[in-house]
Amino acid sequence: MQKFTSKHTACVHSGTKKGSAGGINTPVDTSTAYNYLNREQQFYPRSMNIPNQQAVIEKLAMLENTETGLLFSSGMAAISSTLFSHLKPGDHLLVQRGIYGGTINLLQHDLQRMQIAWSYPENNTPGGFLNAVKPETKIVYLETPSNPLLEVIDLKGISALCREKSIFSVIDNTFASPINQNPANLGIDIVLHSATKYLGGHSDITAGVMLGSKAHVETIRQSAVNFGGSLNALMCHLLERSLKTLALRVEKQNANALALARFLRDHEKVKQVFYPGLATHPNHEIARRQMIDFGGMLSFETLDGDGQGLQKRLQMIQPALSLGGIETTIVSPALSSHSLISAEERAREGITDGLVRLSVGIEDVNDLTKDLSQALEVF
Ligand SMILES: *Cc1c(COP(=O)(O)O)cnc(C)c1O
C-alpha cells in the first residue's frame, strides 16, 4: 500500500482497487458468492473482507495512521462489536463522562444485563481515570471532543496510564474526524467512528468503522463476523466516494465553525458558547496540543434559554438529529441525544434545556451568520 503524507492526497488516492478495464475508480462488486477453489482467502461480505470493504478500510487506516480496520453497518455496530469482543462477566469498563447517548444506552441496557460492570471516573483527567481503575478494568472508553459540551480530554496522559496498567484503550473519534485528530498517534489502541457523520458527510449513509493494529483488529473480527454487522458493497461505494472530499469538507467546516463560535461569543443575546477553538474554552490548551484543528461542532445557550424557539425561527439552518453533513443543522441535546437520561443527570453534566448544538456545514459563513442574526434579534 502506497503511503501518503498529505491527507488530501490520501483521501483521493489511498485504497482504490482499480478494476481490469482500466477505470480509475474501485468497481462496485455486489457479489455475495465468490469462487473458493484454490484461493488463499475466502471472500464473503460478513467476513468483512470483500474488495469494496477493503478499499474503504485502506483509505481510513491511512487517514488514522493505523494498520487496518473493519467496516460496519452503523457506528453502534462498530462500538458494540468492539466492546463485546473483549468483555466477559465480571469485567469492568471505565467510561469517560459525557459520551454519546446511544453508547450510554448500550451500557445501561446491555452490558449491565450481562454482568459487565461499568463506571465513570470522578472527572475526565488522567488522575481521575487513575483513581477509578479497578483490578477488573479491561477497557477504558473515551470520546473527545465530547457531545454536546465539546470537552477535550488528555489522550496522551490517559493512553500512557492504560499502557502501564495493560488496559485496552478505545476512542470514539466521530466528532473530530480523522482530519482533526488521530488518536492512534497519541497511543490509543482502537479508533472508532460513526461513518454516518463526517465520513459519509452528506446525511445519507449509515455506517461505522473500527481501526487499529492487525492483532487487535483480528481479535475483534473473530466476534464481529458472528455478530454480523457488516456493510454491503453499495454502501461501501458511497462511503468511498464521500471520503474523497473528507479533508476538503472538514477544513471548510472547521473554518466556518470557528467564525460562528466567535460571532456567537460576541453576540449580546448569547449567554455561553462551547467550542474548543475559543481561548475561553476550559480545554483550549489540550485541544491545541492534541488536535490538528478544532472541528465543526459547537454548542451555545441563548440568554432567554429558549432553544426550541430559536430553532423554529431559523430559515436556512435546519433542526435535525445527527451531525457531520455538508448542511448546517441544529439540535437540542436535551430533546435528542440526552433525552433518555434523567433531568438530574443532565443538569449534573451541564446540559440545560436551553442548550443547542450546531453541526456546521460548508455553506457560505455569511449566510449562516445572517440566519443566526435574524433568529437571535427577535427576543
Ligand atoms: C451518531 C454517533 C454514534 C452512533 O452512530 P450510528 O451510525 O448512528 O450507529 C456514535 N458515537 C457518536 C459520537 C455519534 O455521534
Side-chain angles (χ1 to χ4, degrees):
M1 193 168 44
Q2 196 180 344
K3 269 260 183 202
F4 298 105
T5 48
S6 154
K7 285 187 181 170
H8 282 275
T9 309
C11 281
V12 175
H13 289 294
S14 62
T16 309
K17 307 252 171 260
K18 289 176 186 156
S20 53
I24 64 172
N25 293 314
T26 307
V28 184
D29 181 352
T30 55
S31 302
T32 55
Y34 286 81
N35 190 338
Y36 73 101
L37 292 173
N38 304 319
R39 288 183 182 241
E40 227 171 80
Q41 200 177 12
Q42 303 299 331
F43 293 104
Y44 190 59
R46 184 165 49 74
S47 302
M48 304 186 169
N49 61 2
I50 60 171
N52 285 103
Q53 294 165 340
Q54 285 179 3
V56 177
I57 280 302
E58 283 177 28
K59 204 187 281 295
L60 285 168
M62 181 74 69
L63 290 170
E64 282 288 18
N65 196 25
T66 63
E67 283 180 338
T68 186
L70 299 173
L71 210 49
F72 292 86
S73 54
S74 70
M76 287 311 301
I79 293 167
S80 58
S81 297
T82 299
L83 294 181
F84 286 121
S85 64
H86 275 77
L87 296 169
K88 59 178 192 312
D91 285 346
H92 172 252
L93 174 71
L94 184 55
V95 183
Q96 174 196 323
R97 282 182 180 274
I99 60 165
Y100 176 67
T103 309
I104 297 175
N105 204 26
L106 170 77
L107 305 180
Q108 289 178 339
H109 187 262
D110 298 295
L111 245 70
Q112 243 151 253
R113 192 160 39 79
M114 296 182 183
Q115 279 92 49
I116 299 163
W118 65 278
S119 63
Y120 295 124
E122 189 62 35
N123 60 61
N124 287 336
T125 63
F129 276 86
L130 182 63
N131 289 338
V133 166
K134 302 176 186 212
E136 318 80 74
T137 306
K138 289 284 150 56
I139 297 182
V140 162
Y141 186 89
L142 309 166
E143 185 182 315
T144 174
S146 72
N147 178 34
L149 295 176
L150 290 312
E151 184 181 2
V152 179
I153 66 159
D154 176 1
L155 291 180
K156 245 187 184 162
I158 293 171
S159 75
L161 145 78
C162 289
R163 296 260 142 136
E164 199 186 299
K165 305 253 173 205
S166 300
I167 297 170
F168 197 50
S169 55
V170 178
I171 186 171
D172 181 338
N173 201 32
T174 299
F175 266 43
S177 90
I179 305 305
N180 289 326
Q181 181 170 270
N182 298 123
N185 293 348
L186 303 166
I188 300 293
D189 293 320
I190 292 290
V191 182
L192 302 167
H193 287 274
S194 167
T196 311
K197 315 297 165 55
Y198 286 100
L199 306 184
H202 298 70
S203 309
D204 58 4
I205 294 175
T206 294
V209 64
M210 182 274 295
L211 300 152
S213 69
K214 281 182 182 156
H216 285 144
V217 170
E218 209 35 59
T219 306
I220 294 168
R221 182 199 299 276
Q222 284 168 17
S223 296
V225 298
N226 298 332
F227 299 154
S230 56
L231 193 67
N232 71 67
L234 291 170
M235 283 299 142
C236 291
H237 162 67
L238 280 180
L239 185 52
E240 186 182 348
R241 193 180 196 274
S242 291
L243 287 171
K244 294 183 184 185
T245 57
L246 178 69
L248 267 184
R249 287 188 274 112
V250 169
E251 284 180 5
K252 177 73 174 170
Q253 287 166 313
N254 290 339
N256 279 355
L258 180 62
L260 287 187
R262 287 177 174 155
F263 163 80
L264 291 165
R265 174 197 63 193
D266 298 337
H267 200 287
E268 57 184 15
K269 301 280 179 71
V270 174
K271 186 174 157 198
Q272 209 177 354
V273 181
F274 300 89
Y275 185 65
L278 293 180
T280 49
H281 189 280
N283 312 126
H284 178 62
E285 279 312 313
I286 301 175
R288 272 176 42 149
R289 263 202 321 272
Q290 81 183 13
M291 296 183 76
I292 298 150
D293 207 338
F294 302 110
M297 301 299 300
L298 66 92
S299 295
F300 66 99
E301 263 178 285
T302 55
L303 275 182
D304 70 347
D306 181 11
Q308 278 194 73
L310 176 81
Q311 289 173 66
K312 287 178 186 155
R313 289 192 298 275
L314 288 165
Q315 292 167 357
M316 184 178 69
I317 297 172
Q318 304 170 75
L321 301 177
S322 200
L323 61 106
I326 49 170
E327 59 288 291
T328 301
T329 57
I330 189 166
V331 83
S332 291
L335 297 177
S336 57
S337 54
H338 291 69
S339 62
L340 295 171
I341 294 161
S342 69
E344 300 94 76
E345 200 171 328
R346 276 203 303 272
R348 208 167 36 241
E349 305 276 344
I351 299 160
T352 60
D353 288 346
L355 185 79
V356 288
R357 189 194 74 192
L358 270 186
S359 169
V360 181
I362 64 168
E363 300 96 333
D364 188 317
V365 73
N366 293 317
D367 291 328
L368 296 173
T369 48
K370 222 184 282 172
D371 196 15
L372 285 166
S373 288
Q374 64 81 22
L376 285 166
E377 285 323 319
V378 171
F379 68 91

